[in-house]
Amino acid sequence: LFLALRNALRYFPPTHHNHLASEFAQELRQYGHIYMYRFCPPVHMRAYPIDQYPCRTPQAASIMLMIMNNLDPAVAQFPQELVTYGGNGQVFSNWAQFRLVMHYLSEMTEEQTLVMYSGHPAGLFPSLPSSPRAIITNGMVIPNYSSREQYEKMFALGVSMYGQMTAGSYCYIGPQGIVHGTMLTVLNAGRRYLGSDDLRGRVLVTSGLGGMSGAQAKAAVIAGCVGVIAEVDATPLRKRHEQGWLMEVTSDIEHCIRRIREAKRSKTPLSLGYHGNVVDLWERLLKEYEMTDELLVDLGSDQTSLHNPFSGGYYPVQLSFQQANQLMATDPAHFKTMVHESLCRQVAAINKLSEAGMFFWDYGNAFLLEAQRAGAAVQKEGGGATEFRYPSYVQHIMGDIFSLGFGPFRWVCTSGDSRDLALTDDIAATVLEEISANVTERVQQQYNDNIRWIREAGKHSMVVGSQARILYSDQKGRVCIALAINKAIADGRVSAPVVISRDHHDVSGTDSPFRETSNVYDGSAFCADMAVQNFVGDAFRGATWVSLHNGGGVGWGEVINGGFGLLLDGSEEAAKRASLMLNWDVSNGVARRCWSGNSNAYETIQRTMKEQRQLRVTMPFPVQDEHVLDRALQG
């Protein structure tokens, strides 16, 4: 307590320490962290048009815009705690840091770089005009100390924080990103597991309707299936229903079973929110199968926040929502035991339904990892360190897409004008239609999915906060879209600069052995060279800001990930930066996946080298005769 308090007070002159110390101590005792609530600004937090920020350079103004979007109450999960999404994914660690960062950005010139240490602004340092205007790191700790227990200690001390992925890198665009990614996951799951992309009458059962997981309801309907999502907390259920993402809500599990059967038979798209514990739902579906021999679920997954299982990320079935909240505060050890028991029950029901014909996958939320730690039957016989009884969605679904170079590319229209967004939508769709004529069938299928998405984006009302859009594109598509948007800014068709970015959950940005790199089988899944190289390479190839994080998705100590923001202002310099940086940002990951033995990545990087004469990638020579290995080892 003493050290945490001293750390917080160093932001202020000694004349204020006596007054602030007792206030900060109370926050620390009550919340386990000093948020400095008194310094939360009274201004309405949102992404204002870029010309309204008091800055000396548009690059700094673009960063301010993105920060304020991440803290917009319409976007952020817990804005008062500076949490954007994922339960604990923060933009900053306290409100003094927010104020100091905004002050530095207002003074920044194009020969300075803002250096950020886990939410703390170390200051403005001299740099080149070609350098990033901000370098962000979150949660970087010595590897042997990258544990959940150490995180809680460091967070309480105010010396580190969990930036998730796009929370601490200022690049979150609301739930639109995960809606699109989930829609693509469900579509490609149907193709792989069910042999069809016509999902009418097919049922997906999952859980979670909070920040990221809330997208599941909307994505299921866009994909055309029946989505049944369990949620224990009434607040996100009500929020998703009011915004139209959940079509129906019920707390009656028997009504839930009836509606599943009706929608399945009529082949009517439906998003149904079950207000209750997902374990109860899985066990009731199993009971129905055992009684009637009718399997009501085709696809299954889970999106509870199991990167944070003992602090509100997962609620055990044995307790009500209120009882669980009380127990996790009063008896954490007993609560942990109940979480483990609940996970074992959940897995037992899933296993039996899977044996009956349901297809289940881990959605990269550490579900199988935590279930394994709980003692549940999720081991894969003869499997490696990253393999379980069920695949992660990267291993079976999205991994092949990453290996083709496709990933979540996004942009934000800094004017705040919906007309600019509509125009950039049309530009992006037109670009993809033009370049899709001479591609392989697998690439063509991904282009078609994304052209359909972007052409229909307006009617799905996905914009929350900034005027932003996301689509999945490969290397060529990203570069061509960025250059076309930059030209539209230069021509005056788009009225203000545009920030381009991506999710860290991408081809190159993340080393995560239980998610993004779970389909890397050469023994390097636990290596983090790719993500670190990506961060460094983006920095000197033209990014406006770059970030590198420990944690994100599957939890602290389980992943290294990074991202970028790049401001397109219509200049030739912006076009040069975008082309150079985006080509690297994708090729880096495809090359790594190629070297690990992925055939899709091998073909993709071969084609890219033919198109870019300066690109030279070390290509693997696969062992063609396995007996060579046997003879050598026996000898």
Side-chain angles (χ1 to χ4, degrees):
L1 292 177
F2 183 85
L3 185 55
L5 198 56
R6 184 163 63 183
N7 287 346
L9 290 173
R10 60 186 165 177
Y11 283 101
F12 309 96
T15 52
H16 298 290
H17 287 183
N18 188 53
H19 181 72
L20 293 174
S22 58
E23 186 177 307
F24 289 170
Q26 177 60 28
E27 286 187 19
L28 187 60
R29 284 191 291 266
Q30 187 171 354
Y31 306 113
H33 182 74
I34 299 171
Y35 293 98
M36 305 186 189
Y37 289 112
R38 68 155 46 232
F39 296 106
C40 178
V43 66
H44 175 52
M45 202 73 69
R46 69 178 181 88
Y48 292 90
I50 193 169
D51 59 5
Q52 294 186 23
Y53 292 93
C55 293
R56 300 170 70 180
T57 165
Q59 292 184 335
S62 71
I63 299 172
M64 295 175 86
L65 181 152
M66 299 292 279
I67 287 172
M68 292 191 73
N69 185 67
N70 268 25
L71 294 170
D72 182 341
V75 174
Q77 188 177 14
F78 305 121
Q80 292 294 318
E81 286 71 44
L82 301 113
V83 171
T84 301
Y85 71 92
N88 59 350
Q90 290 186 292
V91 186
F92 303 108
S93 185
N94 61 59
W95 284 104
Q97 292 173 350
F98 168 84
R99 287 177 175 265
L100 195 51
V101 165
M102 298 302 267
H103 173 69
Y104 279 139
L105 289 171
S106 70
E107 293 189 331
M108 174 189 286
T109 71
E110 292 190 356
E111 293 185 335
Q112 290 175 303
T113 292
L114 175 63
V115 176
M116 297 295 301
Y117 288 3
S118 293
H120 167 68
L124 292 173
F125 292 79
S127 61
L128 298 171
S130 59
S131 303
R133 298 281 70 81
I135 301 283
I136 305 160
T137 53
N138 284 306
M140 293 290 108
V141 297
I142 305 303
N144 281 352
Y145 299 88
S146 190
S147 66
R148 184 176 290 143
E149 293 73 24
Q150 288 290 340
Y151 157 70
E152 291 172 354
K153 178 181 178 181
M154 293 177 194
F155 180 61
L157 290 174
V159 297
S160 194
M161 76 173 205
Y162 191 66
Q164 267 285 0
M165 290 191 162
T166 52
S169 67
Y170 322 147
C171 292
Y172 190 63
I173 60 167
Q176 176 185 172
I178 191 65
V179 169
H180 182 47
T182 304
M183 182 203 75
L184 290 179
T185 300
V186 174
L187 281 176
N188 285 289
R191 290 166 182 152
R192 180 178 181 111
Y193 299 134
L194 307 176
S196 173
D197 53 12
D198 181 359
L199 297 181
R200 290 174 298 175
R202 299 293 195 168
V203 178
L204 166 69
V205 172
T206 180
S207 59
L209 284 166
M212 297 287 282
S213 57
Q216 296 180 104
K218 186 73 172 179
V221 172
I222 295 174
C225 69
V226 178
V228 185
I229 305 97
E231 172 60 62
V232 294
D233 186 353
T235 301
L237 264 167
R238 184 166 54 250
K239 179 179 180 180
R240 300 307 177 196
H241 189 234
E242 288 173 353
Q243 71 184 165
W245 288 20
L246 270 179
M247 297 163 68
E248 299 177 18
V249 174
T250 182
S251 58
D252 183 343
I253 201 165
E254 298 307 318
H255 177 74
C256 192
I257 296 297
R258 287 194 298 272
R259 288 297 291 128
I260 292 172
R261 183 174 278 114
E262 290 167 1
K264 189 175 177 70
R265 288 176 179 171
S266 65
K267 296 188 176 182
T268 305
L270 172 68
S271 54
L272 174 62
Y274 169 59
H275 185 200
N277 198 291
V278 72
V279 182
D280 286 327
L281 181 58
W282 282 122
E283 290 179 342
R284 181 63 186 86
L285 287 164
L286 175 60
K287 181 180 177 182
E288 190 70 14
Y289 172 71
E290 291 173 340
M291 290 190 306
T292 66
D293 203 34
E294 183 180 10
L295 185 64
L296 291 178
V297 53
D298 301 285
L299 302 170
S301 192
D302 185 278
Q303 277 202 42
T304 47
S305 296
L306 274 158
H307 68 276
N308 189 32
F310 311 121
S311 301
Y314 182 91
Y315 283 79
V317 67
Q318 309 95 308
L319 302 171
S320 69
F321 182 63
Q322 292 76 16
Q323 289 170 334
N325 283 328
Q326 183 176 4
L327 187 63
M328 75 176 75
T330 58
D331 193 347
H334 187 205
F335 182 79
K336 182 176 181 179
T337 298
M338 298 194 85
V339 166
H340 284 170
E341 291 172 356
S342 182
L343 281 168
C344 288
R345 280 177 57 179
Q346 184 172 347
V347 167
I350 289 169
N351 286 350
K352 290 179 181 177
L353 288 166
S354 296
E355 290 167 2
M358 178 192 73
F359 295 94
F360 184 89
W361 69 87
D362 182 294
Y363 214 113
N365 61 331
F367 173 73
L368 292 176
L369 182 62
E370 288 301 330
Q372 179 191 53
R373 290 168 176 167
V378 295
Q379 286 296 107
K380 179 180 179 180
E381 188 174 345
T386 63
E387 294 180 283
F388 296 97
R389 180 172 184 160
Y390 304 105
S392 79
Y393 75 118
V394 172
Q395 286 172 316
H396 268 200
I397 304 168
M398 299 303 285
D400 283 346
I401 295 174
F402 285 164
S403 297
L404 293 171
F406 280 82
F409 179 64
R410 55 181 61 167
W411 62 91
V412 176
C413 297
T414 66
S415 64
D417 190 333
S418 60
R419 291 171 296 183
D420 280 345
L421 182 59
L423 180 59
T424 55
D425 281 349
D426 185 63
I427 289 171
T430 300
V431 164
L432 294 184
E433 287 165 351
E434 289 174 352
I435 66 177
S436 65
N438 300 305
V439 295
T440 65
E441 184 178 347
R442 283 177 297 186
V443 173
Q444 178 79 63
Q445 186 179 65
Q446 299 307 317
Y447 276 147
N448 289 343
D449 286 345
N450 284 280
I451 291 167
R452 171 188 163 195
W453 161 265
I454 208 77
R455 290 295 187 198
E456 297 179 356
K459 77 175 186 180
H460 293 309
S461 302
M462 289 284 95
V463 173
V464 179
S466 60
Q467 292 292 318
R469 186 68 72 219
I470 186 172
L471 57 76
Y472 269 55
S473 181
D474 62 353
Q475 181 170 327
K476 186 173 183 178
R478 298 186 207 203
V479 173
C480 290
I481 290 170
L483 295 181
I485 290 175
N486 192 61
K487 186 175 186 301
I489 297 167
D491 294 344
R493 288 177 289 143
V494 174
S495 67
V498 171
V499 171
I500 59 171
S501 181
R502 59 161 169 76
D503 196 344
H504 298 197
H505 166 65
D506 196 15
V507 182
S508 305
T510 298
D511 281 299
S512 180
F514 297 103
R515 199 164 82 171
E516 283 81 356
T517 47
S518 59
N519 66 332
V520 170
Y521 300 116
D522 67 346
S524 70
F526 291 89
C527 299
D529 300 88
M530 179 178 72
V532 175
Q533 287 281 357
N534 223 67
F535 162 80
V536 175
D538 285 351
F540 67 74
R541 286 180 174 86
T544 305
W545 71 94
V546 290
S547 64
L548 186 67
H549 300 182
N550 171 15
V554 295
W556 180 278
E558 305 287 356
V559 50
I560 298 294
N561 62 90
F564 72 86
L566 194 157
L567 185 68
L568 299 176
D569 60 7
S571 66
E572 291 184 8
E573 174 67 17
K576 181 180 178 181
R577 287 176 178 235
S579 180
L580 193 62
M581 198 214 71
L582 290 173
N583 275 307
W584 154 257
D585 195 65
V586 178
S587 283
N588 172 43
V590 178
R592 186 269 177 97
R593 294 168 190 275
C594 165
W595 185 248
S596 75
N598 186 286
S599 59
N600 284 337
Y602 187 99
E603 295 170 8
T604 301
I605 205 69
Q606 285 276 37
R607 287 195 303 273
T608 306
M609 283 193 287
K610 290 179 181 178
E611 294 171 359
Q612 297 184 9
R613 306 309 299 178
Q614 287 187 300
L615 178 65
R616 298 285 299 277
V617 172
T618 304
M619 303 297 287
F621 293 96
V623 174
Q624 296 179 344
D625 182 2
E626 294 290 329
H627 293 99
V628 171
L629 307 180
D630 293 334
R631 288 194 296 270
L633 292 173
Q634 289 171 4

